Amino acid sequence: LHMIQGFWVSRALYVAAKLGIPDLLKDQPKSSADLAQATGTHAPSLYRVLRALDSVGVFAEDDRGRFALTPLGATLRTDVLGSLRYFAIEELGENHYPAWEKVLHSVKTGAIAFNQVYGASKWQYMAEHPDEAKIFDAAMSSFSSVVASAVVAAYDFSSSATVVDIGGGDGTLLTAILKGNRQLRGVLADLPHVAEGAQRRFKTEGLGDRCEIAAGSFFESAPAGDTYVLKWIIHDWDDQQSAAILKNCRSAMATNGRVLLVEAVIQPGTATSFSKFMDLNMLVMTGG
């Protein structure tokens, strides 16, 4: 029963994240009436959402009818490291939710449900819908802020000279790598509308003189370098497309080059697995 009603919890989380309720509660508890006024919503209906999320530990209602933020709910604040706010908005609403309604189409045909719903790929759709693309980019940036320190700690970049971040988004990962390895230069390769945000980040972080932007498609070419990092890139594509990306890296890299894949690895066994469900998400959204 808890599994069946799982999407009720998910959609309630989406409402809270979309409205920015955790941000409004970060300093003190507030009533549903106050929160409704701040978010332009119907107070009795908002109360019902908050009460439901109280029952799963996201908020805590006191005896005066005010809601406080729990440690679990605090992960949906915008201003915390690894914030899940935009990931919740992206995965539980926007264009993901209609695509997941057609998951059976993918299972029956092997085709991408998203393409069936929208008549375009996820990437084409975002290029045409910049507001939704910003939410996706923010969600990926939040994950990168957590993953980045692990990557810097796990790999010795001392023998590298130029790190190329393929599909590097807003530059969160590359920024961490460059800050942790002062001898490195960096190149961020991504589509033009994404790369603009990265350029702003590099200037803000004082890395403008050590990093450049290569705007374009990784299916067409890759910039020159000796170390290539691909975080959550290869899992989006089928074998043929993945091979095309890797071949472009191989063609561009120095003779002593190497490729680093940062992925959510699917482990053997029957334990609950984020990676297995992420793979199912790829089936629906991009093919994987």
Side-chain angles (χ1 to χ4, degrees), residues 61-127:
E61 184 181 9
D62 63 20
D63 56 7
R64 296 170 57 186
R66 300 178 306 172
F67 290 90
L69 197 60
T70 67
L72 179 62
T75 63
L76 294 174
R77 280 175 49 180
T78 307
D79 59 351
V80 297
L81 178 66
S83 168
L84 291 173
R85 182 191 178 191
Y86 288 107
F87 189 73
I89 295 172
E90 169 70 18
E91 298 295 325
L92 305 179
E94 309 309 305
N95 50 72
H96 263 79
Y97 208 72
W100 263 88
E101 288 182 353
K102 298 296 183 182
V103 61
L104 194 56
H105 171 76
S106 291
V107 176
K108 286 182 174 181
T109 66
I112 301 170
F114 186 98
N115 298 14
Q116 172 74 8
V117 173
Y118 290 99
S121 72
K122 168 74 170 172
W123 318 113
Q124 292 168 329
Y125 179 90
M126 288 198 300

Side-chain angles (χ1 to χ4, degrees), residues 70 74 79 83 88 92 103 158 162 168 171 201 244 249 260 267 272 280:
T70 67
D79 59 351
S83 168
L92 305 179
V103 61
S158 61
T162 301
R201 174 181 289 275
C249 294
L260 310 180
Q267 301 289 353
T272 301
L280 191 57

